[in-house]
Amino acid sequence: TPQATALVFEDSSLTYAELNARANRLAHHLIALGIGRNDRVAISIEHGFETVIALLAVLKAGGVYVPLDPSYPANRLRAMLEDSAPKVVVTQAHITAGQSERESQDSFFETLLLDGTDRPWRDCASTNPEPPSPDSLAYIIYTSGSTGMPKGVMVHHRNLAEKLESTRQVLEFSATDSIPNLASRSFDISLLEMLLPLISGGSTLLLRAEEVPDIKELVAKTRAVTFFHAVPSLMEAWLSFLGVEEAQTLYPSLRTLLVGGDAVSDKLLQKIAAHFPRANVVELYGPTEITIFGTTYQSEQTSAHSAIHCIGKPTWNAQAYVLDAQLRPVPAGVAGELYIAGAGLARGYLNRPGLSAERFVASPFGAPGSRMYRTG
């Protein structure tokens, strides 16, 4: 359905044909710059069509997407750039203007300005490049961890493709569905928000970063969506603003709510049930190391969690184990540590072989060579 709407941003939209052509042109330009398998391309741009175009272009070129949130502190962004060592940084003029002259001169990467006066990719072919290998890297997303030191999680194309397809099937996301992209580019859940609609024929609603915490603006922009995803704090603020009586009037098409990124309280579940009693509520759990999320729990809206937090069951082609210090399964009701294995497991941490070996351990339950992620 090339003429169907793929992206919506403010008062404009892009069809699938337009999005694909623009992403292909930029991809061919990146290939001409030498980007190929496992070459890293950092993207630091504001929310808008260009965000998704640049992401798709990097993936189509066979490169590795490295998102950099321009709102992050300069020293953190610098550490992520030095660690990921991208060949190209795709950005915008007003964002690079924050760099000192010395930093610009010392750059080890090529800067590509999407809003520059010279845009050579406009003359590139709009045809699809050769698809990348499923076993090549798709993205590196940085997580701070307990030490505060950024560590890059490396995820393959196969991981991302399988997670998106299994999610599409489980949530029954279709060509008539839409979801707003509320998460920061530096969190992998943003990939689900951007790409799940695009493999389903649905549409992604893009918002400016400053519109997300402005609940009044958020409601005004998202009233037509059928899916809504938020972390518990944002979900709480959103529901409080809506009010019980107005919720279904303001969101007549909403059928599924996704919540994750932190513990979901019984109070929040009860509030969701009061506002949207007929909606499907799905809790997502999982660190970046297992590709977006690793378990799902479809809440029974009439039941209470009490003091127990449910994270549900492993996603398709994944396994979850609660083990003791000797990697033996503990009996029901006995405390242990959660390990997750299967299709979503990341390759490891970029430039951190010791930490990778510590957290991605050999699995005694799978085939020879299989691994588990120690969640902590």
Side-chain angles (χ1 to χ4, degrees):
T1 53
Q3 299 311 312
T5 298
L7 302 179
V8 177
F9 180 60
E10 297 183 330
D11 297 326
S12 301
S13 63
L14 281 185
T15 65
Y16 275 86
E18 292 168 334
L19 173 60
N20 197 48
R22 289 174 64 172
N24 284 343
R25 290 189 182 100
L26 185 56
H28 283 294
H29 181 64
L30 290 172
I31 292 169
L33 293 177
I35 296 301
R37 179 178 175 135
N38 294 332
D39 289 325
R40 298 182 279 277
V41 179
I43 298 179
S44 180
I45 55 181
E46 290 186 341
H47 293 217
F49 292 147
E50 289 76 14
T51 304
V52 184
I53 291 168
L55 161 62
L56 293 177
V58 172
L59 297 181
K60 284 170 172 284
V64 184
Y65 166 65
V66 183
L68 301 177
D69 189 329
S71 68
Y72 274 18
N75 59 343
R76 180 172 172 83
L77 291 172
R78 194 175 302 114
M80 293 159 70
L81 276 171
E82 290 175 354
D83 186 60
S84 61
K87 278 190 174 182
V88 175
V89 173
V90 180
T91 186
Q92 295 162 317
H94 65 282
I95 295 176
T96 59
Q99 283 188 315
S100 67
E101 184 176 345
R102 180 172 180 178
E103 284 178 326
S104 299
Q105 292 173 348
D106 291 345
S107 295
F108 49 82
F109 49 79
E110 182 166 348
T111 300
L112 183 62
L113 296 180
L114 289 185
D115 56 353
T117 54
D118 181 26
R119 304 183 193 183
W121 56 88
R122 287 180 168 177
D123 297 324
C124 291
S126 62
T127 54
N128 293 319
E130 282 294 314
S133 163
D135 296 314
S136 60
L137 290 181
Y139 64 83
I140 297 172
I141 285 185
Y142 279 83
T143 176
S144 63
S146 57
T147 63
M149 292 290 292
K151 55 182 186 289
V153 179
M154 301 183 289
V155 175
H156 298 98
H157 275 271
R158 185 188 306 278
N159 298 16
L160 179 59
E162 289 186 351
K163 184 58 62 71
L164 289 170
E165 175 57 18
S166 63
T167 304
R168 183 191 68 78
Q169 293 183 29
V170 170
L171 298 182
E172 298 180 343
F173 201 102
S174 72
T176 61
D177 287 315
S178 60
I179 188 171
N181 179 207
L182 307 183
S184 163
R185 303 295 177 265
S186 291
F187 293 100
D188 58 355
I189 194 67
S190 66
L191 291 165
L192 187 76
E193 295 173 345
M194 287 188 285
L195 299 180
L196 178 61
L198 297 184
I199 70 161
S200 311
S203 60
T204 302
L205 172 65
L206 301 167
L207 284 82
R208 295 188 182 276
E210 61 271 17
E211 292 174 334
V212 176
D214 184 341
I215 304 299
K216 183 177 180 180
E217 190 70 20
L218 177 64
V219 170
K221 292 287 178 67
T222 62
R223 290 176 58 174
V225 299
T226 60
F227 278 66
F228 191 94
H229 166 263
V231 295
S233 57
L234 179 59
M235 183 76 72
E236 175 75 34
W238 175 66
L239 292 171
S240 297
F241 179 87
L242 288 180
V244 175
E245 294 182 1
E246 297 86 356
Q248 294 173 68
T249 302
L250 291 172
Y251 284 86
S253 303
L254 187 63
R255 66 181 184 88
T256 299
L257 290 95
L258 309 174
V259 59
D262 205 348
V264 182
S265 68
D266 179 55
K267 181 181 177 182
L268 178 57
L269 284 178
Q270 292 173 348
K271 202 166 189 176
I272 293 172
H275 284 70
F276 298 100
R278 291 184 294 277
N280 183 32
V281 181
V282 183
E283 297 178 48
L284 309 177
Y285 163 77
T288 308
E289 290 85 345
I290 52 180
T291 308
I292 308 179
F293 60 93
T295 69
T296 60
Y297 178 67
Q298 302 214 21
S299 303
E300 295 293 336
Q301 292 208 20
T302 57
S303 67
H305 274 194
S306 65
I308 298 173
H309 176 63
C310 271
I311 63 168
K313 296 182 178 181
T315 56
W316 176 83
N317 209 11
Q319 302 85 43
Y321 307 99
V322 183
L323 309 176
D324 63 17
Q326 284 73 46
L327 301 184
R328 297 174 303 195
V330 298
V334 176
E337 185 172 355
L338 177 65
Y339 290 74
I340 298 182
L345 216 61
R347 179 186 292 182
Y349 299 115
L350 179 67
N351 302 327
R352 306 283 287 274
L355 186 61
S356 295
E358 177 186 327
R359 301 303 292 271
F360 295 88
V361 299
S363 173
F365 309 106
S370 59
R371 302 174 304 147
M372 308 181 294
Y373 174 67
R374 182 180 183 180
T375 67

